[in-house]
Amino acid sequence: MERVNRLIISRTGSRVTMIPEVANHLISSGGKRLRPMLTLATAALAGYRGTGHINLAAAVEFMHTATLLHDDVVDSSTMRRGKIAARMKWGNEASVLVGDYLLGQAFKMMVEVGSLPALGILSSAAAVIAEGEVLQLSAAKNTETNEDEYLAVIRGKTAELFAAACEVGAVIAERSKAEQAACRSYGMNLGIAFQLVDDALDYGGTSSALGKNVGDDFREGKVTLPVVLSFRRGDEEERAFWRRTLERADVQEGDLERAHQIMRRHRALEDTIERARHYGAIARDALALFPKSQMKTALLRAVDFCIARVS
Amino acid sequence: MERVNRLIISRTGSRVTMIPEVANHLISSGGKRLRPMLTLATAALAGYRGTGHINLAAAVEFMHTATLLHDDVVDSSTMRRGKIAARMKWGNEASVLVGDYLLGQAFKMMVEVGSLPALGILSSAAAVIAEGEVLQLSAAKNTETNEDEYLAVIRGKTAELFAAACEVGAVIAERSKAEQAACRSYGMNLGIAFQLVDDALDYGGTSSALGKNVGDDFREGKVTLPVVLSFRRGDEEERAFWRRTLERADVQEGDLERAHQIMRRHRALEDTIERARHYGAIARDALALFPKSQMKTALLRAVDFCIARVS
């Protein structure tokens, strides 16, 4: 991971000084580096002995960072990772273009590895991720979104990059198709679980008190799984509440508490976490065909940690 | 070219209907398809007999289209190719994300060709183009920009993709390094000439009357070569005029005519075209090491057509 971090820092460099400024604002702001760690871990699980996984891991983090920069523009976000969003400091223009630059650099790093299958997986992921974001754009603020539709969105938006990050680890190790597919499935289901836990955390998880940094999704009118469940299980008065606050963005004092109350009434947060556990279980089973090893244990624990963030 | 067009149409398809809508708004609006034609032509010049050039040509056009979508957001443009800009119809969000989708699709198409050198050239071009745009962002509206600085911007913004489009034609044909470099040099210099002619055309070229669709760069405060030359050659009163209109965006009735008048006084448009002729000559000479052929004649004529648009 040390080497991945060094590569990330060196590849944000450019004679155009605005590029490292904008990129490092986000990259050095304490992201969890979860995705590149998955690439390193699956490569190790698959017994890879080369150095290509370093480049691929850094490329995965660059793809993620580019997505965040573009997301902030798309969502008109003001904050990111507890810091002011790059677009507020350098403008939307810089966020769009530095995102494009990082995407170009990501592909350059992949090309250096020389694995066409890995390139195919990650370029395909780039298209699927963008497609998922457009889908979210069309579905945004629609309280009638159902669980399947919501799952399609987060598969594209979040889980696809987790899946690709894990798949390429097995692919550069030239493991069998079944093992490549196992790593992909592990990543995909971990990614879904991760996003669902995030959705629950955004409403403070299952603790009855609302903590700080809670309610961003609510204020942005995002229809996430806790809302999908609450809306479906709710009565007419509650549905009217969700339509007013999320679709019409008419949010008043006390509305976040009211949202939380409705969610508790319908056990929407508990069941969101229950769903996350389901995908976590699939992720764990996906790795069953790998023999016992330290790395396998670590990857299995990662699923638990992911869910333990909330429960 | 017929096959490239069919591929372009089929690859903008997506189950997310907004994607083909936004992409085709731009793709079907009569772009000149100049860049993909260059890939096909240089592949033919290099004696390529396979089908990979079709994918590469379509990928080049997708990269170009993605850049246009993002540029409109960055420049807050309202029009593009004589039609309303996509971002005015579907929003900045859709333009950013559909651009990302097309970039992902472009890389997928390249990966299918299986040429790592071609992938390296085009991914590197993607990073250089974005870098050039950020550079333009930092240099924007600065009337003190000098000719070298301006050239650095258009090398990145325009000429790099022309260069890459031509280079990959020779690369998939597996020609010698010297011939690959010749194609790259042809594309790079043609691209510079092309952009300079565009800059002159945006002020109506050298005709004394101002035609329609003229003055976009002026209204957007872009410091292009005709302005760089006029500013350097001008007196204090004229420099104050450029600072007011371009840097402070304080444009009044009659200012475009005044700009044109100053340019005529300093022969700024004639000399911009003279500079374009210089790069056109380098482009022609770059091809000298290829033997006489129909395709070579066509590529040489392309340089003349490019410059004849204005004179």
Side-chain angles (χ1 to χ4, degrees):
Chain A
M1 206 57 213
E2 187 61 35
R3 285 161 74 193
V4 173
N5 277 328
R6 276 205 303 272
L7 185 60
I8 285 173
I9 300 297
S10 79
R11 289 307 183 93
T12 53
S14 162
R15 69 202 157 85
V16 182
T17 51
M18 199 195 265
I19 290 177
E21 275 174 29
V22 176
N24 290 327
H25 174 76
L26 196 55
I27 286 172
S28 66
S29 70
K32 294 174 288 296
R33 301 272 203 276
L34 192 53
R35 295 156 189 83
M37 266 193 272
L38 288 172
T39 301
L40 298 186
T42 48
L45 178 76
Y48 180 64
R49 301 241 166 258
T51 56
H53 61 323
I54 308 283
N55 263 44
L56 292 179
V60 163
E61 184 69 4
F62 271 23
M63 284 175 67
H64 176 55
T65 309
T67 308
L68 294 184
L69 283 168
H70 287 184
D71 271 5
D72 285 345
V73 174
V74 168
D75 296 342
S76 305
S77 308
T78 54
M79 299 290 286
R80 166 70 69 186
R81 290 181 179 164
K83 279 170 84 170
I84 185 168
R87 67 174 207 94
M88 301 298 288
K89 216 167 156 183
W90 290 278
N92 278 341
E93 303 88 339
S95 290
V96 170
L97 296 176
V98 174
D100 290 351
Y101 177 77
L102 292 179
L103 217 50
Q105 287 289 29
F107 278 100
K108 272 177 75 172
M109 286 190 275
M110 294 174 213
V111 171
E112 286 165 14
V113 177
S115 162
L116 280 167
L119 267 158
I121 289 158
L122 288 166
S123 59
S124 181
V128 170
I129 292 164
E131 200 174 32
E133 305 258 4
V134 180
L135 187 65
Q136 190 177 31
L137 204 62
S138 332
K141 297 172 199 284
N142 178 7
T143 51
E144 312 221 327
T145 305
N146 70 30
E147 185 162 343
D148 283 330
E149 289 163 342
Y150 182 66
L151 269 176
V153 167
I154 67 174
R155 271 177 197 277
K157 187 180 83 149
T158 307
E160 177 68 29
L161 190 56
F162 276 72
C166 292
E167 189 178 4
V168 293
V171 162
I172 47 161
E174 298 180 335
R175 300 295 289 237
S176 71
K177 282 282 169 212
E179 285 167 319
Q180 292 176 18
C183 285
R184 177 174 177 79
S185 172
Y186 167 82
M188 177 65 82
N189 287 285
L190 176 65
I192 296 172
F194 178 84
Q195 183 61 58
L196 294 178
V197 167
D198 252 16
D199 291 349
L201 280 174
D202 204 276
Y203 283 94
T206 51
S207 70
S208 57
L210 287 175
K212 57 180 180 169
N213 290 332
V214 153
D216 285 350
D217 289 348
F218 184 71
R219 278 182 291 269
E220 288 173 22
K222 282 191 185 157
V223 177
T224 58
L225 190 59
V227 174
V228 170
L229 296 177
S230 302
F231 184 87
R232 308 231 138 215
R233 297 170 183 179
D235 56 30
E236 261 321 302
E237 186 267 325
E238 290 170 348
R239 291 185 187 175
F241 168 82
W242 295 115
R243 285 197 198 96
R244 169 173 67 78
T245 52
L246 301 179
E247 289 187 12
R248 297 200 298 279
D250 171 12
V251 176
Q252 291 155 18
E253 184 80 31
D255 276 347
L256 180 59
E257 287 70 20
R258 172 85 177 111
H260 205 247
Q261 209 174 53
I262 299 175
M263 286 180 178
R264 256 179 298 171
R265 184 161 112 85
H266 297 296
R267 296 184 49 85
L269 293 170
E270 287 83 346
D271 284 349
T272 295
I273 296 161
E274 206 45 54
R275 303 287 210 265
R277 282 207 187 87
H278 162 82
Y279 294 103
I282 301 178
R284 261 190 300 265
D285 278 322
L287 293 186
L289 82 177
F290 288 96
K292 208 173 158 182
S293 73
Q294 256 195 315
M295 200 45 78
K296 180 173 169 178
T297 309
L299 284 165
L300 294 175
R301 279 218 187 115
V303 179
D304 299 328
F305 283 134
C306 164
I307 293 164
R309 291 185 299 154
V310 71
S311 45
Chain B
M1 204 56 212
E2 187 60 37
R3 286 161 72 193
V4 173
N5 277 327
R6 276 204 304 272
L7 185 61
I8 285 173
I9 300 297
S10 79
R11 289 307 183 93
T12 53
S14 161
R15 70 203 157 84
V16 182
T17 50
M18 199 196 263
I19 290 176
E21 275 173 30
V22 176
N24 290 326
H25 175 76
L26 195 55
I27 286 172
S28 66
S29 70
K32 293 174 288 296
R33 301 272 203 276
L34 192 53
R35 293 156 190 82
M37 266 193 270
L38 287 173
T39 301
L40 299 185
T42 48
L45 178 76
Y48 180 64
R49 301 241 166 261
T51 56
H53 62 325
I54 308 284
N55 263 41
L56 292 180
V60 162
E61 185 69 4
F62 271 23
M63 285 176 66
H64 176 54
T65 309
T67 308
L68 294 184
L69 282 167
H70 287 184
D71 271 4
D72 284 346
V73 174
V74 168
D75 295 342
S76 306
S77 307
T78 54
M79 301 289 287
R80 167 69 71 186
R81 288 179 179 166
K83 279 170 85 171
I84 186 169
R87 69 175 206 95
M88 300 299 288
K89 216 167 158 182
W90 290 277
N92 278 341
E93 302 89 340
S95 290
V96 170
L97 296 175
V98 175
D100 289 351
Y101 177 76
L102 292 178
L103 217 51
Q105 287 288 28
F107 278 100
K108 272 177 76 171
M109 287 191 273
M110 293 173 213
V111 171
E112 286 165 16
V113 176
S115 162
L116 281 168
L119 267 159
I121 289 158
L122 288 166
S123 58
S124 179
V128 170
I129 291 164
E131 199 174 33
E133 305 258 5
V134 180
L135 186 65
Q136 190 177 34
L137 205 62
S138 332
K141 297 173 199 282
N142 178 5
T143 51
E144 311 222 329
T145 306
N146 70 30
E147 185 162 345
D148 283 329
E149 288 162 345
Y150 181 66
L151 268 175
V153 167
I154 66 174
R155 272 177 195 276
K157 186 180 84 148
T158 308
E160 178 69 28
L161 190 55
F162 276 70
C166 292
E167 190 179 2
V168 294
V171 162
I172 47 161
E174 298 180 336
R175 299 295 290 237
S176 70
K177 282 284 169 210
E179 284 167 320
Q180 293 176 18
C183 285
R184 177 173 177 80
S185 172
Y186 167 83
M188 177 65 80
N189 287 286
L190 176 64
I192 296 172
F194 178 85
Q195 183 61 57
L196 293 179
V197 167
D198 253 17
D199 291 348
L201 279 174
D202 204 276
Y203 283 95
T206 51
S207 71
S208 57
L210 287 175
K212 57 181 181 169
N213 291 331
V214 154
D216 285 350
D217 288 347
F218 183 70
R219 278 182 292 269
E220 289 174 21
K222 282 192 185 157
V223 177
T224 58
L225 189 58
V227 174
V228 170
L229 296 177
S230 301
F231 184 86
R232 307 231 139 216
R233 296 172 183 178
D235 56 30
E236 261 320 303
E237 185 267 324
E238 290 169 349
R239 290 185 187 175
F241 168 82
W242 295 116
R243 285 197 198 97
R244 169 174 64 81
T245 53
L246 302 179
E247 290 187 11
R248 297 199 299 277
D250 171 13
V251 176
Q252 292 154 17
E253 183 82 32
D255 276 347
L256 181 58
E257 287 71 19
R258 172 85 178 112
H260 206 246
Q261 210 174 49
I262 299 175
M263 287 180 177
R264 256 179 298 170
R265 184 162 112 83
H266 296 296
R267 296 186 49 85
L269 294 169
E270 287 84 345
D271 284 348
T272 295
I273 297 161
E274 206 45 55
R275 303 287 210 265
R277 282 207 186 87
H278 162 82
Y279 294 103
I282 300 179
R284 261 191 300 264
D285 277 321
L287 294 186
L289 81 177
F290 288 96
K292 210 174 158 181
S293 73
Q294 258 196 313
M295 199 45 77
K296 179 174 168 177
T297 308
L299 284 165
L300 293 175
R301 278 218 187 113
V303 179
D304 298 329
F305 284 134
C306 163
I307 292 165
R309 291 184 300 153
V310 70
S311 46

